[in-house]
């Protein structure tokens, strides 16, 4: 009933930039917090950034000062602008959204399918 579709991943050289997008669709009444996490092979999944419905952001320590999260509520979309990319930023990036559906009470967290980001040196 709800889909989150990420786009914008790819291959980039160290020091470069990418912008990820994640659009929500389906039987959505409202969206609370949205966010991004990432996972590299053999490593734990980690929080990258999160943003409230009022656009108050939170960042993981490893990306502070380099990444910016934003959202467009009218488009039901969250963005992640990634600058000064490093090889250690490589991984699969997943978006998430806490969504109140049209047919159900309460909020549920939905996840996107993930998009690969590879940073070469």
């Amino acid at each position: 009933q709800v889909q989150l579709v990420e786009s914008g991943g790819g291959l980039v050289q160290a020091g470069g930039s990418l912008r990820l997008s994640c659009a929500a669709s389906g039987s959505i009444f409202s969206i609370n917090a949205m966010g991004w996490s990432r996972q590299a092979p053999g490593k734990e999944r980690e929080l990258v950034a999160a943003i409230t419905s009022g656009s108050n952001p939170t960042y993981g320590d490893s990306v502070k000062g380099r990444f910016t999260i934003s959202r467009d509520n009218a488009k039901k979309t969250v963005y992640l602008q990634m600058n000064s990319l490093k090889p250690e930023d490589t991984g699969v990036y997943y978006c998430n959204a806490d969504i109140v559906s049209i047919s159900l009470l309460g909020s549920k967290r939905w996840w996107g399918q993930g998009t690969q980001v590879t940073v070469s040196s």
Side-chain angles (χ1 to χ4, degrees), residues 4 22-26 28 31 34 72-78:
L4 297 177
C22 175
S25 62
I28 297 169
I31 303 176
M34 306 182 82
D72 185 329
N73 291 330
K75 295 181 178 179
K76 300 186 181 78
T77 299
V78 63

Side-chain angles (χ1 to χ4, degrees), residues 48 58-67:
V48 175
T58 299
Y59 297 98
D61 288 340
S62 64
V63 307
K64 287 179 180 176
R66 300 188 297 121
F67 291 9

